[in-house]
């Protein structure tokens, strides 16, 4: 409590604002001259970014330019981040522009790229924070503006709220366009997100300033279901298809609903420009197909209303500079009629063009009544064939559609009276020359292939051209180390094929290719076998082939002299065989050599020896027992006793070489030998086994 008479205490002083917080400071050199005060060291500056509290709970970011510490550290200049533009020109070069000043930008060079990157990270983050604060402030001001204007209540009627919403949407769209134009990705992204949340319907188009300003003379082929004509119109690169339709409607009277534009084999849409379809220079072509009013669902009332509206709008624009209006002229590809097209340089009016196209049966959209004979000459029907795909009328001699490349109908016949013009004659000549060149190239390629085949035929073995995997040993085989079999074109390594030949029991070596569903039936050629094995191996292969040929011959007889390789093929009238190797005389009836004895004497002596030879009797009894218990069987061809040791149910008779099915006790194949399924056990024919207990007799 204060004493009486004591002076009143002084009022409490307001608390001092906190000092700004320095976020980062960095050294940089000033490269570009500026209007800054002179510096002790012109190439050295200290950039400092700081933040301090501001009114309304906001934060204020400032970028300061200071002298180096060695020069005293005095403040040279200081800017608020919302008043500057800061950009990165290179990893070590940045640019600062004061938005309210016309001075040139200040360019700073950094000694280290890493330090410059760190500085830019802090500055860009602060710039985004400033932008967010500015956007929120604008939004709060916009929301409070209607209430302040009303003065009495903050309640808004629906019409006012809708107007405000549209105003905000338009402002966002305008900001989006400006951000895209200036390359500000951050602001463009924010505006796009805001518009997407409002689900605003936009139409984004390039400005005309983005396109070339020169006029383009575009050739247009106009056609309906019966006739065609050619015109030339002048457009610009930014002309849209919708504008082009209105232009044709204004000049020639064809309603946009009946127009179908085709450019570059594409059916054009209204929103795109002619430049996007490839119209960029004089002489580029387009195609306009005109539908009937009925097909386009165009009523006469609709046509008259749209034509009247178009005339009103065109009349209001006639007072503008006449030079700004594009001049459109036509260049028809048909001979000009009297009364139009003869005056050089004169622009044809709508009536003349319509009259000309009427003669081509194109201009009349609504009238179903035939015109009087005196009104116009009969319209000539253009010779040619109609494309079944795009309905374009092509010249009779053209093999494919000029617009969509569809083939000419097979049943079309070129009229005998048709005479092609010079352009068509030149095209036909080029086509014939192209066909001739193609045939010559094809013949040259065939000759080259034939020469290669002849060269390959002269080679004993055909080597592999590429790396392959042998289907026998599954090893990688380098080019030239393998062999391509001529008959079936299967590839194997040389060593595997050599082993196949050495272990083959057939005179014809089969291709060893096998998989789960296919077994190759081709064979190696004799020259391939001779080249794959050594001379000694080839000699043994021939001997095996001779032995097998002897065994498979029905009327063959082998010399009974021990270890003699002589044999013969006899006829029924021959009873004796003199071996050319050992010179022994063999009896074909007794199947023995008994020189000095006749057959009767030899057989009597043989019976006597069998009665007195106990070993022979024991052997005969054992074999009969094996046949009875099923462990042996008689060969179905030569009737000798054969036995299966182990493995599958396929066995071969050692005497006559007959292939036998063990489980059916009969021959494996029919009379035709291996592969003949007309007889034998018929295993695997139609997917059926020969016996329920068959164990792969095939």
């Amino acid at each position: 409590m204060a004493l009486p008479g004591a002076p009143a205490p002084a009022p409490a002083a307001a608390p001092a604002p906190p000092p700004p917080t320095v976020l980062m400071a960095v050294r940089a050199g000033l490269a570009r001259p500026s209007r800054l005060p002179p510096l002790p060291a012109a190439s050295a500056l200290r950039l400092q970014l700081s933040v301090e509290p501001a009114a309304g709970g906001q934060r204020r970011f400032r970028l300061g330019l200071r002298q180096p510490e060695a020069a005293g550290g005095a403040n040279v200049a200081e800017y608020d981040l919302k008043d500057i533009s800061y950009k990165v020109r290179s990893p070590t070069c940045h640019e600062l522009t004061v938005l309210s000043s016309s001075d040139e930008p200040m360019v700073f060079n950094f000694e280290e790229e890493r330090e410059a990157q760190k500085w830019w990270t802090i500055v860009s983050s602060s710039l985004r924070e400033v932008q967010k604060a500015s956007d929120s402030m604008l939004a709060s001001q916009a929301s409070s503006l209607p209430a302040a204007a009303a003065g009495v209540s903050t309640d808004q009627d629906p019409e006012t709220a809708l107007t405000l919403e549209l105003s905000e949407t338009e402002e966002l769209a305008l900001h989006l366009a400006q951000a895209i134009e200036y390359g500000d990705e951050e602001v463009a992204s924010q505006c796009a997100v805001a518009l997407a949340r409002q689900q605003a319907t936009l139409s984004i188009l390039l400005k005309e300033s983005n396109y070339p300003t020169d006029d383009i003379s575009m050739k247009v082929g106009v056609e309906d279901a019966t006739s065609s004509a050619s015109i030339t119109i002048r457009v610009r690169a930014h002309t849209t298809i919708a504008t082009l339709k209105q232009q044709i409607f204004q000049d020639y009277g064809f309603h946009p609903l009946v127009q179908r534009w085709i450019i570059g084999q594409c059916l054009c849409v209204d929103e795109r420009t002619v430049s996007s379809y490839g119209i960029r220079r004089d002489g580029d072509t387009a195609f306009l197909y005109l539908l009937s009013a009925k097909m386009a669902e165009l009523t006469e009332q609709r046509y008259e209303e749209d034509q009247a509206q178009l005339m009103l709008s065109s009349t209001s624009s006639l007072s503008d500079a006449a030079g700004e209006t594009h001049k459109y002229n036509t260049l028809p590809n048909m001979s000009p009629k009297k009364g139009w097209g003869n005056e050089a340089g004169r622009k044809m009016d709508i009536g003349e063009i319509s009259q000309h196209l009427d003669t081509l049966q194109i201009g009349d959209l609504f009238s179903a009544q035939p015109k009087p004979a005196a009104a116009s000459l009969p319209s000539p029907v253009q010779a040619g064939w109609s494309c079944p795909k795009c309905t374009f009328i092509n010249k009779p001699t053209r093999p494919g559609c000029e617009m969509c490349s569809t083939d000419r109908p097979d049943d079309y016949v070129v009229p005998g009276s048709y005479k092609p013009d010079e352009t068509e004659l030149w095209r036909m000549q080029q086509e014939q020359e192209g066909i001739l060149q193609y045939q010559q190239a094809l013949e040259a390629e065939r000759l080259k292939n034939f020469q290669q085949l002849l060269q390959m035929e002269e080679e004993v073995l055909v080597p592999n051209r590429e790396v392959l995997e042998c289907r026998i040993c599954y090893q990688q085989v380098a080019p030239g180390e393998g062999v391509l079999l001529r008959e079936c074109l299967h590839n194997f390594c040389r060593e595997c094929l050599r082993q196949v030949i050495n272990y083959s029991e057939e005179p014809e070596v089969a291709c060893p290719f096998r998989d789960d569903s296919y077994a190759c039936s081709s064979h190696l050629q004799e020259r391939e076998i001779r080249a794959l094995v050594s001379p000694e191996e080839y000699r043994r292969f021939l001997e095996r082939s001779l032995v097998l040929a002897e065994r498979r011959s029905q009327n063959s007889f082998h010399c009974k002299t021990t270890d003699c390789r002589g044999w013969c093929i006899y006829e029924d009238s021959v009873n004796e065989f003199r071996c050319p190797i050992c010179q022994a005389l063999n009896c074909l009836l007794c199947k023995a050599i008994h020189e000095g004895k006749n057959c009767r004497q030899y057989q009597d002596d043989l019976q006597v020896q069998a009665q007195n030879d106990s070993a022979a009797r024991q052997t005969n009894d054992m074999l009969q027992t094996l046949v009875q218990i099923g462990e042996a069987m008689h060969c179905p061809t030569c009737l000798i006793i054969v036995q299966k040791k182990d493995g599958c149910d396929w066995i071969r008779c050692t005497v006559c070489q007959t292939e036998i099915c063990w489980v059916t006790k009969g021959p494996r194949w029919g009379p035709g030998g291996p592969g003949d399924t007309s007889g034998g056990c018929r295993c695997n024919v139609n997917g059926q086994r020969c016996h329920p207990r068959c164990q792969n007799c095939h």
Side-chain angles (χ1 to χ4, degrees):
M1 178 180 293
L3 296 175
T21 302
V22 178
L23 299 178
M24 185 177 179
V26 65
R27 285 176 57 88
L30 183 61
R32 182 174 295 177
S34 64
R35 296 184 181 180
L36 294 175
L39 304 175
S43 61
L45 278 177
R46 183 167 175 265
L47 304 182
Q48 178 177 297
L49 181 64
S50 60
V51 60
E52 60 183 1
Q58 301 293 332
R59 293 189 296 176
R60 183 183 182 188
F61 294 86
R62 298 183 67 83
L63 192 150
L65 279 61
R66 297 177 177 272
Q67 294 181 358
E69 295 293 341
N75 191 9
V76 178
E78 193 171 22
Y79 306 100
D80 199 317
L81 282 191
K82 64 183 180 62
D83 299 331
I84 65 171
S85 171
Y86 197 92
K87 297 181 181 179
V88 176
R89 297 180 57 184
S90 70
T92 58
C93 181
H94 295 179
E95 182 181 87
L96 185 149
T97 304
V98 181
L99 300 179
S100 60
S101 175
S102 60
D103 295 345
E104 294 184 359
M106 289 177 278
V107 179
F108 305 108
N109 290 329
F110 297 85
E111 296 179 357
E112 297 182 4
E113 180 179 344
R114 182 177 180 183
E115 189 176 27
Q117 179 63 33
K118 187 176 180 181
W119 168 256
W120 167 244
T121 302
I122 301 297
V123 173
S124 61
S125 177
S126 302
L127 287 171
R128 286 194 295 270
E129 186 72 20
V130 171
Q131 183 64 37
K132 290 180 181 179
S134 177
D135 293 343
S136 62
M137 183 178 297
L138 289 175
S140 62
Q141 292 176 356
S143 61
S144 61
L145 181 59
V152 177
S153 174
T154 58
D155 295 335
Q156 299 174 351
D157 56 79
E159 184 178 356
T160 304
L162 179 60
T163 303
L164 179 59
E165 182 179 355
L166 289 176
S167 177
E168 293 178 355
T169 305
E170 291 178 358
E171 190 70 20
L172 282 173
L174 181 60
H175 284 322
L176 175 61
Q178 292 176 347
I180 293 175
E181 182 176 358
Y182 294 125
D184 194 336
E185 299 178 3
E186 184 70 23
V187 175
S189 176
Q190 294 175 0
C191 295
V193 169
L195 290 170
R197 289 173 179 172
Q198 296 181 11
Q199 298 183 350
T201 304
L202 302 180
S203 177
I204 302 177
L205 299 174
L206 293 176
K207 292 183 178 180
E208 296 182 4
S209 58
N210 293 288
Y211 297 93
T213 58
D214 298 336
D215 287 352
I216 302 173
S217 296
M218 183 175 68
K219 295 183 178 180
V220 182
V222 188
E223 181 182 347
D224 69 350
T226 59
S227 304
S228 65
S230 296
I231 61 175
T232 300
I233 61 177
R234 299 192 66 82
V235 296
R236 290 188 178 179
H238 60 77
T239 303
T240 62
I241 301 300
T243 305
L244 188 59
K245 290 181 178 180
Q246 290 294 329
Q247 176 179 325
I248 295 297
F249 185 31
Q250 179 179 354
D251 288 356
Y252 302 129
F254 299 113
H255 196 277
L257 290 179
V258 303
Q259 299 181 37
R260 295 295 183 269
W261 286 89
I262 300 174
I263 304 177
Q265 300 185 9
C266 295
L267 184 62
C268 303
V269 295
D270 292 349
E271 293 78 11
R272 293 181 59 178
T273 62
V274 295
S275 176
S276 66
Y277 287 109
I279 303 298
R280 298 184 178 90
R281 60 181 63 88
D282 292 344
D284 288 345
T285 59
F287 174 69
L288 171 60
Y289 184 76
L290 300 176
L291 303 177
S292 64
K294 181 178 180 181
M295 184 178 297
E297 298 181 357
L298 176 63
T299 63
E300 188 169 1
Q301 180 181 0
R302 168 75 180 276
Y303 178 82
E304 292 176 353
E305 291 176 354
D306 292 347
Q307 191 175 39
Q309 184 177 1
L310 180 64
M311 292 180 64
L312 289 175
S313 60
S314 61
T315 303
S316 62
S317 61
L318 286 177
S319 58
D320 297 337
E324 298 178 358
T325 305
H326 299 300
K327 298 181 180 299
Y328 308 102
N329 60 334
T330 60
L331 299 174
N333 60 354
M334 305 180 66
S335 58
K337 303 278 193 306
K338 288 185 178 182
W340 70 277
N342 293 329
E343 301 178 16
R346 182 178 67 86
K347 178 181 176 181
M348 302 171 62
D349 59 20
I350 298 176
E352 291 174 328
I353 296 297
S354 299
Q355 181 182 0
H356 168 59
L357 292 179
D358 281 343
T359 63
L360 300 177
Q361 296 183 357
I362 296 178
D364 191 1
L365 293 174
F366 302 103
S367 177
Q369 300 296 329
K371 295 185 179 180
S376 62
L377 295 175
S379 59
V381 178
Q382 181 183 3
W385 55 275
S386 176
C387 176
K389 186 175 182 180
C390 69
T391 71
F392 181 76
I393 304 298
N394 295 274
K395 295 183 178 180
T397 54
R398 190 170 187 87
C401 179
E402 186 177 358
M403 290 298 167
C404 63
S405 302
T406 303
D407 293 337
R408 183 175 61 188
D410 298 334
D411 56 351
Y412 179 78
V413 179
V414 179
S417 60
Y418 175 72
K419 295 182 179 180
D421 54 15
E422 295 182 359
T423 304
E424 186 67 7
L425 288 174
W426 178 84
R427 187 199 62 77
M428 294 170 62
Q429 181 182 359
Q430 294 296 316
E431 181 180 342
Q432 293 296 330
E433 292 179 357
I435 294 175
L436 180 61
Q437 292 177 2
Y438 171 75
Q439 292 176 347
Q440 292 176 351
L442 187 61
E443 186 64 26
E445 185 177 1
R446 289 177 178 174
L447 181 60
K448 180 180 178 181
N449 294 337
F450 179 71
Q451 296 294 339
Q452 291 179 352
L453 288 176
L454 290 180
Q455 182 181 359
M456 189 176 298
E457 185 65 23
E458 295 176 356
E459 298 180 359
V460 179
L461 293 177
V462 181
N464 60 311
R465 305 277 182 176
E466 301 175 353
V467 178
L468 63 92
E469 182 184 57
C470 178
R471 295 300 298 268
I472 300 177
C473 63
Y474 295 100
Q475 298 293 325
Q476 293 291 329
V477 182
E481 299 297 327
V483 176
L484 175 69
L485 300 183
R486 279 185 165 86
E487 287 194 8
C488 57
L489 304 181
H490 288 136
N491 293 277
F492 303 95
C493 67
R494 294 172 181 259
E495 182 60 25
C496 287
L497 288 177
R498 188 179 72 84
Q499 296 296 335
V500 169
I501 296 171
N502 289 334
Y503 288 100
S504 175
E505 297 181 356
E506 300 291 334
E508 291 184 341
V509 182
C511 171
F513 182 85
R514 301 286 189 279
D515 60 15
D516 296 337
S517 59
Y518 172 74
C520 184
S521 59
S522 301
H523 297 85
L524 276 72
Q525 295 184 1
E526 185 68 22
R527 56 177 173 175
E528 294 175 334
I529 297 175
R530 188 186 303 112
L532 286 168
V533 298
S534 64
E536 179 62 23
E537 291 172 337
Y538 184 67
R539 184 186 63 79
R540 291 198 297 267
F541 170 76
L542 293 179
E543 291 179 355
R544 291 197 306 272
S545 300
L546 288 175
V547 171
L548 191 59
E550 175 191 351
R551 290 176 178 177
R552 291 185 176 179
S553 299
Q554 293 182 354
N555 297 332
S556 66
F557 178 81
H558 196 91
C559 178
K560 296 302 179 180
T561 302
T562 305
D563 296 333
C564 180
R565 293 181 295 175
W567 65 284
C568 71
I569 297 177
Y570 61 87
E571 298 178 356
D572 293 340
S573 59
V574 177
N575 296 328
E576 292 181 344
F577 160 58
R578 176 73 66 179
C579 178
I581 297 178
C582 65
Q583 302 300 320
L585 182 63
N586 292 264
C587 177
L588 299 180
L589 298 177
C590 299
K591 302 291 191 293
I593 299 175
H594 52 80
E595 292 189 62
K597 298 180 182 180
N598 57 26
C599 293
R600 178 74 181 202
Q601 293 171 346
Y602 172 73
Q603 292 176 6
D604 291 343
D605 292 343
L606 187 61
Q607 290 178 0
V608 172
Q609 292 177 4
Q611 292 176 358
N612 299 329
D613 191 349
S614 59
R617 288 196 302 272
Q618 291 177 359
T619 301
N620 185 48
D621 293 342
M622 180 191 67
L623 292 176
Q624 294 299 328
T625 302
L626 290 175
V627 172
Q628 293 175 1
I629 64 177
E631 294 184 3
M633 64 172 288
H634 290 281
C635 173
T637 302
C638 65
L639 300 180
I640 69 166
I641 297 176
V642 294
Q643 206 174 0
K644 187 183 80 163
K645 295 180 180 179
D646 198 2
C648 64
D649 288 337
W650 177 90
I651 61 174
R652 188 196 296 271
C653 177
T654 58
V655 175
C656 64
Q657 300 299 313
T658 300
E659 297 184 31
I660 304 171
C661 176
W662 175 262
V663 70
T664 60
K665 308 300 182 186
R668 172 68 181 90
W669 304 106
D676 183 10
T677 58
S678 62
C681 69
R682 295 175 58 81
C683 189
N684 272 356
V685 176
N686 296 327
Q688 299 293 328
R689 295 282 189 180
C690 62
H691 193 275
R693 291 185 288 117
C694 176
Q695 298 180 7
N696 296 329
C697 65
H698 61 289

